[in-house]
Amino acid sequence: MAVNTQESSKPLEIIVIPYITPGHLVPLSEIACLFASRQEQVIIITTTEKAPVVENTIKHCKASAHSISVHAIPFPYKEVGLPDGFRLEHAKDMETASKYYHGLGLMQSAMQEFMRTRSPDCIIADKFFPWTSAFAETLNIPRIVFDPCFMFRKALQDALLNPNSPHLTVKSDYEPFVITDLPHPITLTRSKLPANTYAMLLKLQREAELKSYGVVINSMSELESEYSEYYANKLDCKVFHVGPASLIHENVDSKVDRSHNSVVSKEQVLSWLDSKNRNSVLYISFGSVCELHDEQLMEIACALESSNCDFIWVVRGKTNKDDDSTWQPKDFNINGKGMILKGWAPQLLILQHPSTGAFLTHCGSNSVLEAVIEGVPLVTWPLIADQFCNEMLVTQVLGIGVEVGAEDWRFFSDLDRKIIKREEIEKAVRMVMDGGDVVQEMRKKTKELGDKAISAVKTGGSSHQNLTNLIHELKQMRDKCVWH
């Protein structure tokens, strides 16, 4: 679409409202930087506790004198019965998570009051804030939905709403069935689908999304164009692929400083990786929310010992004061072979290093995308949220990963979950790390996708053009005072 150069040069004022878990907060903050780098004015609303994370993410954008800022609102801890500073990532059960979600609901009036004082031209809000669709209508401005999921997940979710979907007729949660309505036949089981409570939340989000102007997605159209077209055509919905937004971090410092503070310095990580052979290191991380219990950690440790590969393992929920013997085999020797990080890791830095040969991942959408950018094949181990769908995209559509064998969707990663045995873990790890013909083909496919991702965000690339088109459409609506 050609952009009208005669349109108003006045910058848009855009309010951005990210959800507060890192997998939502960081990519939308990075997308906010994309708008600011186009000389639009951006204000990000978040909680007081999350403001430093956002500030870290946008630091280099602000340093370039772009108009981007943070408006922090205190979280009502006392009102919902949570201790000060509590993070949703700390929740171990549904009752605690519900308290936090209720607290975000109590912040709604303060967010609305602030937006009324600003009179923005557009609201870009995470899907977990469906109320922003109706509120944007009261301001007579468009709301854009940010969904950190891939379009593949959204298309699959829509296909499962079909009253004739085969998942409604299988006799067991573990009986495989095939969805044939999509561009590719997708095999799954009911055990990999969200719990009913979560599914209802997704339904509310979808209804609010259909009242919005469109959806902004943190990936490039080349990754899943067939699914974007399927979804856009079926739901008459505008889809704007504008990512991968993490590519705004162009140098080492920017990649390390991104979001949370790392528990290890860039010098330590790079020095260790530099000492390893190309494609010899397995990187292991289950993201910022998922926490595995000791029995499962022990199986991973034993598998690493048996496979004898070098590794960097991010272990969430452990500190240096904990007794490691509860989750490591006796005489577990990591000297020279492994690096265990108990806290936040510089993931972008690790994935881009030539020594990193594979990524054992929970299949969070950001982790998958970051691996794709760097051409790193995956060992897939989904746990919650959209992660099983992402595994299907990686293994059944893109062909760039190997499954460990996870079967059960659970709200919380340590709740009544089947233990994946060391033999299964070792088998999947060896398959990806030992470098046979199948893995070489995976590396080739992943590298091709990574090259497309980098090209997409460059001037003239698909994501760059999609962002240009979206800004143009928003300015047209503003200048003509047209919405609805």
Side-chain angles (χ1 to χ4, degrees):
M1 181 181 75
V3 174
N4 178 8
T5 56
Q6 300 302 311
E7 72 187 8
S8 169
S9 60
K10 178 185 174 185
L12 293 166
E13 178 164 313
I14 303 171
I15 297 289
V16 174
I17 311 177
Y19 194 57
I20 41 62
T21 53
H24 293 240
L25 183 74
V26 174
L28 185 49
S29 297
E30 290 168 339
I31 287 173
C33 290
L34 293 178
F35 281 92
S37 70
R38 299 293 191 93
Q39 314 310 316
E40 312 307 334
Q41 297 175 353
V42 182
I43 302 173
I44 302 173
I45 300 178
T46 190
T47 66
T48 306
E49 284 72 26
K50 292 296 182 180
V53 177
V54 177
E55 290 286 2
N56 267 353
T57 304
I58 69 174
K59 177 168 61 176
H60 292 270
C61 182
K62 290 179 73 172
S64 299
H66 296 308
S67 180
I68 185 168
S69 60
V70 178
H71 177 71
I73 297 175
F75 185 86
Y77 291 107
K78 184 177 180 181
E79 290 88 334
V80 296
L82 290 173
D84 287 349
F86 183 88
R87 301 199 305 266
L88 183 56
E89 305 95 277
H90 292 155
K92 305 289 187 185
D93 53 61
M94 194 61 205
E95 180 182 358
T96 306
S98 296
K99 287 181 179 180
Y100 198 99
Y101 198 73
H102 178 54
L104 290 175
L106 296 179
M107 293 176 62
Q108 179 176 330
S109 60
M111 293 183 188
Q112 291 177 340
E113 182 179 352
F114 174 74
M115 286 189 277
R116 286 192 185 97
T117 67
R118 298 297 311 189
S119 299
D121 299 307
C122 171
I123 298 170
I124 303 177
D126 190 282
K127 66 179 182 178
F128 279 120
F129 297 107
W131 59 264
T132 53
S133 285
F135 179 70
E137 288 185 17
T138 69
L139 299 181
N140 199 33
I141 60 173
R143 179 236 183 171
I144 307 293
V145 181
F146 169 67
D147 194 332
C149 301
F150 292 110
M151 288 307 303
F152 172 83
R153 183 267 177 87
K154 295 174 75 65
L156 178 59
Q157 178 186 325
D158 185 75
L160 289 167
L161 293 175
N162 185 325
N164 297 316
S165 173
H167 82 282
L168 300 172
T169 57
V170 290
K171 297 177 181 178
S172 162
D173 285 347
Y174 298 96
E175 179 184 341
F177 61 89
V178 181
I179 296 290
T180 58
D181 298 345
L182 298 171
H184 301 83
I186 302 299
T187 302
L188 68 158
T189 62
R190 254 193 338 229
S191 68
K192 297 179 179 181
L193 299 178
N196 288 339
T197 307
Y198 191 81
M200 286 299 297
L201 182 59
L202 294 178
K203 185 174 183 292
L204 290 174
Q205 293 165 1
R206 182 175 182 270
E207 290 170 356
E209 179 181 302
L210 294 176
K211 298 176 183 177
S212 302
Y213 183 70
V215 183
V216 65
I217 299 292
N218 183 34
S219 71
M220 70 286 194
S221 57
E222 291 86 346
L223 187 73
E224 48 176 354
S225 59
E226 294 168 296
Y227 292 91
S228 297
E229 290 167 10
Y230 169 95
Y231 190 82
N233 292 335
K234 190 168 184 181
L235 278 75
D236 191 23
C237 171
K238 285 179 174 284
V239 178
F240 298 91
H241 286 270
V242 299
S246 63
L247 287 170
I248 65 169
H249 306 289
E250 296 179 340
N251 58 55
V252 169
D253 287 337
S254 179
K255 290 176 181 179
V256 173
D257 293 342
R258 179 198 189 208
S259 66
H260 300 70
N261 295 323
S262 173
V263 296
V264 64
S265 71
K266 63 182 179 183
E267 291 81 10
Q268 287 174 287
V269 170
L270 292 176
S271 175
W272 190 87
L273 286 168
D274 287 344
S275 71
K276 302 300 178 182
N277 295 327
R278 186 178 186 86
N279 294 332
S280 67
V281 175
L282 175 69
Y283 174 55
I284 308 165
S285 175
F286 290 89
S288 56
V289 174
C290 299
E291 185 175 319
L292 302 180
H293 50 67
D294 287 358
E295 185 180 357
Q296 185 63 82
L297 294 175
M298 178 68 79
E299 294 299 311
I300 295 173
C302 290
L304 291 173
E305 199 166 46
S306 298
S307 64
N308 200 37
C309 69
D310 297 326
F311 62 88
I312 295 179
W313 184 8
V314 182
V315 184
R316 185 177 180 273
K318 300 295 182 184
T319 70
N320 291 328
K321 296 179 181 179
D322 292 329
D323 179 9
D324 291 345
S325 67
T326 63
W327 58 278
Q328 291 181 12
K330 188 178 180 181
D331 302 324
F332 185 46
N333 182 14
I334 65 169
N335 292 332
K337 293 294 295 179
M339 178 181 285
I340 293 179
L341 306 180
K342 298 174 181 177
W344 198 265
Q347 183 159 295
L348 296 183
L349 203 61
I350 294 169
L351 289 173
Q352 76 167 21
H353 198 281
S355 294
T356 302
F359 182 7
L360 196 168
T361 173
H362 65 309
C363 294
S365 53
N366 297 303
S367 289
V368 170
L369 194 59
E370 289 158 18
V372 164
I373 291 168
E374 302 301 340
V376 177
L378 302 163
V379 180
T380 62
W381 191 332
L383 298 163
I384 58 171
D386 60 333
Q387 296 162 15
F388 281 96
C389 292
N390 296 343
E391 177 182 64
M392 295 168 211
L393 174 65
V394 164
T395 59
Q396 298 186 40
V397 177
L398 301 177
I400 58 172
V402 173
E403 298 180 12
V404 162
E407 295 183 307
D408 299 303
W409 196 105
R410 294 288 185 271
F411 252 119
F412 296 94
S413 54
D414 61 349
L415 181 67
D416 185 31
R417 186 183 300 279
K418 172 191 170 186
I419 296 295
I420 308 295
K421 296 299 183 181
R422 64 195 69 179
E423 295 82 7
E424 298 171 86
I425 302 167
E426 181 185 352
K427 179 182 177 182
V429 167
R430 283 189 181 278
M431 194 178 298
V432 177
M433 295 301 293
D434 287 354
D437 291 343
V438 173
V439 176
Q440 291 307 321
E441 183 63 22
M442 284 185 191
R443 293 195 191 284
K444 179 184 175 184
K445 289 179 180 178
T446 316
K447 176 67 165 59
E448 289 171 352
L449 287 171
D451 291 343
K452 289 177 180 178
I454 293 167
S455 296
V457 299
K458 291 181 178 178
T459 302
S462 60
S463 293
H464 185 275
Q465 189 59 48
N466 286 338
L467 183 62
T468 299
N469 294 346
L470 176 54
I471 290 171
H472 167 65
E473 291 174 25
L474 292 173
K475 286 188 174 182
Q476 276 195 324
M477 283 188 287
R478 178 196 62 189
D479 295 346
K480 295 178 181 178
C481 297
V482 174
W483 173 236
H484 292 307

